[in-house]
């Protein structure tokens, strides 16, 4: 974290992970983040009713290597337990072909906001807008059974997620022995399919 000019704040992070849930060639990844905020009320002459004003922006890249939360080794092709024949156990080859070069799912996120305090911070308004790009998702894509498999586990589909959040909070009553704080939250977000993996059934999403 860095503070500059007594009102500007910079933040940088970096993380390196290695996971056993992906192929060895692609099981290590680095994801950074950066943020900046400016407390304008510390350097600008604002109207008396405005007690606090801050603008902020942040960017982050997040990766995950979990294909299936119930199976930490879903990237490996192994036999499944089949039916018993005359009480003799059997094994069957899976119907899903697993792409050998799977890479982590990735989310690129951008967030922008402002915080406004009024009347000696008795009323506070916090507004945020964000946009995420979600790609390299783990998807089972249906295949022709003539191939010997019914689906292929691969990285596919790109989604764009946008939304906003609006929070109003305040202190309606404040005495020496009693303090009442309250807040109201409004939020909204939508997801759009930007790029799709096609099959005979149309667009494929998570399975």
């Amino acid at each position: 974290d860095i503070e500059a000019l007594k009102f500007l704040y910079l933040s940088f992070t970096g993380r390196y992970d290695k996971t056993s849930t992906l192929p060895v060639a692609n099981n290590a990844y680095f994801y950074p983040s950066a943020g900046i905020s400016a407390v304008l009320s510390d350097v600008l002459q604002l109207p008396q009713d405005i007690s606090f004003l801050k603008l902020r922006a942040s960017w982050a890249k997040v990766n995950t290597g979990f294909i299936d939360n119930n199976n930490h080794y879903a990237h490996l092709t192994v036999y499944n337990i089949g039916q018993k024949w005359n009480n003799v156990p059997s094994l069957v080859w899976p119907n899903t072909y697993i792409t050998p070069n799977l890479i982590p799912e990735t989310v690129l996120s951008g967030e922008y906001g402002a915080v406004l305090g009024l009347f000696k911070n008795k009323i506070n308004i916090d507004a945020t807008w964000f946009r995420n790009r979600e790609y390299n998702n783990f998807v089972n894509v249906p295949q022709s059974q003539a191939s010997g498999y019914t689906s292929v586990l691969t990285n596919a589909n790109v989604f764009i997620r946008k939304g906003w959040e609006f929070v109003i909070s305040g202190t309606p009553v404040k005495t020496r022995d009693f303090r009442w704080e309250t807040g109201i939250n409004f939020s909204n977000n939508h997801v759009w399919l930007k790029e799709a993996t096609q099959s005979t059934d149309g667009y494929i999403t998570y399975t």
Side-chain angles (χ1 to χ4, degrees):
D1 294 337
I2 301 173
E3 178 184 350
L5 306 175
K6 297 183 179 181
F7 81 99
L8 195 62
Y9 302 88
L10 304 173
S11 177
F12 303 94
T13 66
R15 179 170 172 172
Y16 180 84
D17 277 358
K18 195 167 186 177
T19 178
S20 61
T21 60
L22 286 175
V24 174
N26 300 318
N27 70 347
Y29 41 87
F30 173 78
Y31 44 102
S33 70
I36 182 172
S37 62
V39 184
L40 300 182
S41 54
D42 288 347
V43 293
L44 299 179
Q45 190 68 34
L46 300 174
Q48 186 176 0
D49 293 338
I50 299 179
S51 311
F52 181 79
L53 176 61
K54 180 176 77 171
L55 302 179
R56 66 175 185 272
S58 63
W59 174 89
K61 178 183 178 182
V62 179
N63 297 97
T64 180
F66 284 101
I67 300 172
D68 184 347
N69 290 331
N70 297 318
N71 180 8
H72 298 316
Y73 301 101
H75 65 290
L76 299 176
T77 301
V78 296
Y79 285 98
N80 296 322
I81 297 176
Q83 295 180 345
K84 289 184 177 182
W85 297 92
N86 294 324
N87 291 323
V88 177
S90 67
L91 298 174
V92 294
W93 191 249
N95 294 322
T96 299
Y97 175 79
I98 301 175
T99 304
N101 59 344
L102 289 173
I103 59 178
E105 289 186 339
T106 305
V107 178
L108 291 179
S109 175
E111 183 176 301
Y112 313 91
V115 180
L116 177 65
L118 301 173
F119 311 118
K120 298 182 179 181
N121 292 324
K122 290 184 177 180
I123 298 177
N124 295 282
I125 301 172
D126 190 333
T128 303
W129 182 85
F130 68 88
R131 180 185 186 275
N132 295 347
R133 184 173 186 266
E134 305 167 5
Y135 59 100
N136 292 335
N137 300 283
F138 300 123
V139 180
N140 279 317
V141 180
Q143 298 293 305
S144 168
Q145 293 188 22
S147 66
Y149 297 93
T150 58
S151 64
V152 173
L153 175 63
T154 187
N155 296 105
N157 294 347
V158 177
F159 296 94
I160 299 296
R161 185 186 302 270
K162 296 180 183 179
W164 54 265
E165 185 176 21
F166 193 74
V167 180
I168 302 177
S169 60
T171 310
V173 179
K174 181 180 178 181
T175 66
R176 178 182 300 179
D177 303 319
F178 179 78
R179 180 186 180 95
W180 175 29
E181 296 182 352
T182 187
I184 302 175
N185 177 285
F186 304 92
S187 64
N188 189 17
N189 79 87
H190 291 279
V191 180
W192 291 268
L193 177 67
K194 191 70 174 179
E195 299 176 19
T197 298
Q198 296 293 327
S199 74
T200 54
D201 297 324
Y203 125 77
I204 304 301
T205 184
Y206 301 98
T207 58

